[in-house]
């Protein structure tokens, strides 16, 4: 994001909130979040759609032509400019997801085509150890990012807003996790935990965190979010690299209901919400995921399998798609790894793998 909304003048930020394309209840929630300093990158992105600072910069960069210059240009006969011939960019579907461009660029004497952004996977440090939080009771695995942040909490059926990691199903019996309970911040592979003013608090190894306090996580840490216990440790080796000659079973876990959806490796899969009115049923139908289903588009995202790995692509959904807290841009194809979490407008799916006997 271009700006940290927390650093903007209060009057400008309040105006951005009021002019944002959100409901009155969401605007009230945004005002409270900034007042309590519990705002996140997700709230900033809601505001930067209509960011006043960005609009001012664009207006300042816009060229202003005087009346005299316009008349001189018209007299010189430069008013009419022949429009360029439109070029049709190549489709990515014919070649599969593109990870990175290989080999040097080839130059010819033919006029160059306009630049086309090709879907790419976000870079990740090669060989870096992957850490995860695992819910003790349900074995729900939450992979930690190398950089960025994740908000842990539960789906709110009133506003339709969900955190990056929805623990609704894990907390279904105790109901002690807040909507925005805690934040994981990742910096150079290290992970910090912070409570966001939750009702029932956050503990690390038995110690209750104070509001605003951040602690560095180390392997073996036991974290309590309300009554939900999670353990921070390295992902098992077989998860990242399944043994040879053993066929792993991939699946999605709905973190709101606990439903599991097997994920094939033989075909393209569309994730969305079925609509009986038009007799439409996607391959993975989230229409029965309770309140969380209302934020999912009919054709929300697509999963493809390419060279032993699943890839995620947004299909122009109304409420957007995130991968581990980061927005998935339209046309971008990103690889999935066990423990990753996909945010579909607010309905969260955990991508994972299992092997018989493990």
């Amino acid at each position: 994001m271009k700006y940290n909304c927390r650093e903007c003048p209060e009057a400008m930020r309040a105006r951005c909130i009021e002019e944002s394309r959100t409901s009155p209840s969401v605007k009230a929630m945004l005002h409270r979040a900034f007042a309590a300093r519990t705002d996140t990158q997700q709230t900033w992105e809601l505001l930067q759609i209509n960011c006043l600072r960005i609009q001012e910069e664009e207006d300042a960069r816009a060229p202003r032509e005087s009346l005299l210059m316009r008349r001189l240009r018209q007299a010189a006969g430069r008013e009419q400019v022949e429009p360029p011939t439109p070029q049709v960019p190549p489709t990515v579907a014919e070649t599969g997801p593109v990870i990175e461009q290989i080999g040097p660029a080839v130059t010819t004497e033919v006029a160059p085509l306009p630049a086309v952004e090709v879907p790419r996977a976000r870079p990740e440090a090669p060989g870096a150890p992957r850490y995860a939080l695992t819910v003790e009771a349900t074995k729900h695995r939450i992979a930690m990012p190398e950089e960025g942040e994740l908000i842990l909490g539960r789906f709110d059926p009133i506003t339709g807003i969900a955190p990056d990691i929805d623990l609704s199903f894990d907390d279904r019996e105790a109901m002690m996790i807040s909507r925005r309970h805690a934040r994981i911040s990742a910096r150079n592979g290290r992970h910090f935990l912070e409570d966001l003013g939750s009702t029932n608090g956050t503990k690390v190894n038995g110690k209750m965190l104070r509001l605003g306090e951040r602690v560095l996580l180390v392997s073996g840490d036991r974290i309590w979010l309300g009554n939900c216990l999670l353990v921070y440790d390295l992902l098992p080796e077989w998860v990242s690299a399944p043994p040879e000659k053993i066929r792993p079973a991939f699946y999605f876990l709905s973190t709101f209901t606990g439903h599991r959806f097997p994920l094939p490796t033989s075909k393209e899969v569309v994730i969305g919400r079925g609509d009986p009115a038009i007799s439409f049923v996607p391959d993975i139908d989230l229409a029965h995921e309770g309140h969380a289903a209302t934020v999912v588009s009919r054709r929300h995202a697509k999963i493809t399998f390419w060279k032993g790995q699943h890839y995620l692509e947004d299909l122009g959904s109304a409420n957007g798609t995130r991968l581990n807290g980061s927005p998935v841009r339209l046309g971008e194809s990103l690889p999935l790894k066990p423990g990753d979490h996909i945010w579909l407008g607010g309905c969260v799916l955990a991508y994972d793998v299992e092997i018989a006997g493990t």
Side-chain angles (χ1 to χ4, degrees):
M1 277 168 298
K2 189 168 184 179
Y3 291 115
N4 180 339
C5 295
R6 191 181 297 164
E7 298 175 353
C8 282
E10 184 176 353
M12 178 177 287
R13 187 170 61 233
R15 183 180 164 193
C16 282
I17 294 175
E18 293 304 318
E19 293 184 5
S20 63
R21 293 191 290 270
T22 57
S23 64
S25 60
V26 174
K27 291 177 181 176
M29 183 272 293
L30 291 173
H31 283 297
R32 290 195 300 269
F34 282 105
R37 296 187 65 81
T38 57
D39 50 286
T40 64
Q41 291 183 3
Q42 179 181 344
T43 55
W44 302 348
E45 288 173 3
L46 282 173
L47 295 184
Q48 292 194 21
I49 296 174
N50 296 323
C51 179
L52 299 179
R53 294 177 65 181
I54 294 176
Q55 291 177 6
E56 289 176 356
E57 291 179 359
E58 291 177 350
D59 292 341
R61 288 195 300 266
R64 297 184 178 180
E65 184 180 41
S66 66
L67 180 60
L68 176 60
M69 290 299 297
R70 180 177 178 83
R71 288 177 176 175
L72 289 174
R73 180 167 52 81
Q74 290 175 343
R78 293 195 295 265
E79 183 70 19
Q80 295 181 351
V81 178
E82 189 171 330
T85 303
Q87 302 289 344
V88 180
T91 62
V92 181
E94 300 175 357
T95 58
V98 178
I99 305 302
E100 59 179 307
Q101 183 176 350
I102 300 176
V106 179
T107 58
T108 67
E109 296 181 357
V110 180
L113 293 174
V116 178
E117 183 178 353
V118 179
R120 295 179 181 274
R122 294 180 184 136
E124 183 175 297
R130 298 190 74 211
Y131 285 85
L133 286 173
T134 303
V135 181
E136 180 106 327
T138 61
K139 305 307 176 186
H140 172 195
R141 243 189 311 262
I142 305 164
M144 298 287 97
E146 185 77 11
E147 296 287 340
E149 66 177 36
L150 293 174
I151 302 299
L152 286 71
R154 62 177 175 84
F155 180 84
D156 184 0
I158 297 176
T159 63
I161 296 177
D164 305 310
I165 308 298
D166 182 13
L167 299 171
S168 296
F169 181 74
D170 304 297
D171 188 48
R172 64 192 181 281
E173 296 180 358
M175 297 289 289
M176 294 179 65
I177 290 181
S178 298
R179 294 172 180 85
R180 291 165 44 82
H181 196 110
R183 170 166 41 211
I184 296 286
S185 301
R187 299 291 182 271
N188 298 319
R190 300 194 305 167
H191 301 107
F192 300 84
L193 177 67
E194 176 186 359
D195 184 80
L196 294 177
S198 61
T199 302
N200 295 297
T202 301
K203 294 180 181 179
V204 178
N205 299 326
K207 178 187 175 183
M208 184 73 75
L209 298 185
R210 300 183 301 273
L211 182 62
E213 180 183 8
R214 292 202 322 162
V215 296
L216 174 65
L217 298 178
V218 297
S219 293
D221 277 351
R222 296 169 67 82
I223 300 165
W224 291 89
L225 303 183
N227 202 40
C228 187
L229 173 61
L230 303 92
V231 179
Y232 175 82
D233 213 339
L234 283 168
L235 274 171
E237 185 177 351
W238 68 265
V239 172
S240 300
E244 295 183 4
K245 299 182 180 179
I246 295 181
R247 190 172 184 179
F250 297 95
Y251 65 91
F252 279 130
L253 170 72
S254 171
T255 59
F256 186 70
T257 63
H259 295 158
R260 288 177 56 152
F261 301 91
L263 193 56
T265 58
S266 57
K267 66 173 184 176
E268 182 179 281
V269 174
V270 172
I271 307 173
R273 175 174 50 85
D275 187 350
I278 59 174
S279 301
F280 172 72
V281 180
D283 301 301
I284 294 181
D285 188 1
L286 301 179
H288 305 291
E289 297 309 296
H291 294 292
T294 60
V295 295
V296 180
S297 298
R298 294 178 181 86
R299 290 174 49 86
H300 199 112
K302 178 175 66 175
I303 303 295
T304 55
F305 193 74
W306 176 256
K307 294 186 177 180
Q309 192 165 31
H310 286 105
Y311 287 79
L312 168 69
E313 181 180 349
D314 182 79
L315 295 177
S317 58
N319 295 311
T321 301
R322 301 175 187 271
L323 178 59
N324 298 329
S326 297
V328 178
R329 297 183 294 270
L330 188 62
E332 188 175 32
S333 186
L334 300 178
L336 295 177
K337 294 185 178 181
D340 284 350
H341 281 64
I342 302 173
W343 184 94
L344 304 166
C347 181
V348 180
L349 297 179
Y351 172 80
D352 217 331
V353 60
E354 65 179 0
I355 297 176
T358 58

